[in-house]
């Protein structure tokens, strides 16, 4: 298996974050119900669904106070945390994430890798 770059994985996290924020609507807050509905009604792109689901749960868990609501600011902080602690720290030799390095990642990190691979595979190659 070829290595996958951290920048591709970080871009996948950013795409999932954008989808999470969009699922919340115009009030600036994202509820569990809104995410559940977005996932159930295909408002979340199919290839993003696994990451959006688990990443939202991660964000929601980080903001554990009763009645707390997930905001765009919470999502942004979670993306920065995930980039540093769930992706970048696993690339031990700074040459992209290998199969073994990915194997040591959290479920959220692995789902980000899965999405990055799917996005990369779907990207136009530029050949006519």
């Amino acid at each position: 298996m070829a290595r996958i770059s951290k920048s591709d994985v970080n871009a996948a996290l950013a795409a999932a974050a954008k989808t999470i924020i969009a699922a919340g609507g115009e009030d600036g807050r994202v509820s569990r119900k809104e995410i559940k509905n977005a996932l159930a009604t295909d408002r979340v792109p199919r290839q993003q669904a696994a990451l959006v689901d688990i990443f939202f749960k991660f964000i929601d868990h980080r903001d554990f106070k009763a009645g707390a609501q997930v905001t765009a600011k919470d999502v942004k902080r979670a993306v920065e945390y995930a980039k540093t602690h769930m992706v970048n720290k696993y690339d031990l030799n700074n040459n992209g994430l290998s199969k073994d390095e990915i194997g040591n990642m959290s479920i959220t990190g692995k789902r980000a890798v899965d999405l990055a691979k799917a996005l990369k595979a779907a990207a136009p190659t530029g050949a006519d």
Side-chain angles (χ1 to χ4, degrees):
M1 177 185 96
R3 293 177 179 272
I4 186 152
S5 74
K6 292 180 292 192
S7 62
D8 289 342
V9 178
N10 291 336
L13 285 168
K18 187 176 179 181
T19 299
I20 289 169
I21 292 167
E26 295 181 19
D27 66 355
R29 297 180 218 136
V30 187
S31 70
R32 292 177 191 127
K33 183 177 181 180
E34 288 170 325
I35 287 294
K36 185 178 178 180
N37 288 342
L39 288 165
T41 59
D42 289 333
R43 286 188 7 236
V44 173
R46 189 174 314 215
Q47 50 187 194
Q48 288 186 20
L51 179 57
V52 166
D53 184 36
I54 199 158
F55 196 47
F56 179 79
K57 289 174 183 172
F58 168 76
I59 296 165
D60 190 37
H61 180 74
R62 284 180 53 120
D63 195 17
F64 61 88
K65 298 174 193 87
Q69 298 177 347
V70 173
T71 64
K73 185 177 176 182
D74 296 325
V75 174
K76 183 179 178 184
R77 276 196 319 256
V79 168
E80 292 307 313
Y81 178 90
K83 285 179 179 180
T84 302
H85 299 285
M86 296 178 160
V87 178
N88 296 347
K89 89 173 202 175
Y90 288 94
D91 186 10
L92 302 176
N93 46 13
N94 288 319
N95 64 347
L97 294 161
S98 70
K99 182 178 179 179
D100 290 338
E101 291 167 337
I102 293 167
N104 292 325
M105 296 172 89
S106 68
I107 297 292
T108 304
K110 290 176 184 176
R111 293 300 81 70
V113 169
D114 293 344
L115 177 57
K117 288 177 183 177
L119 292 173
K120 192 167 184 146
T125 59
D128 289 326

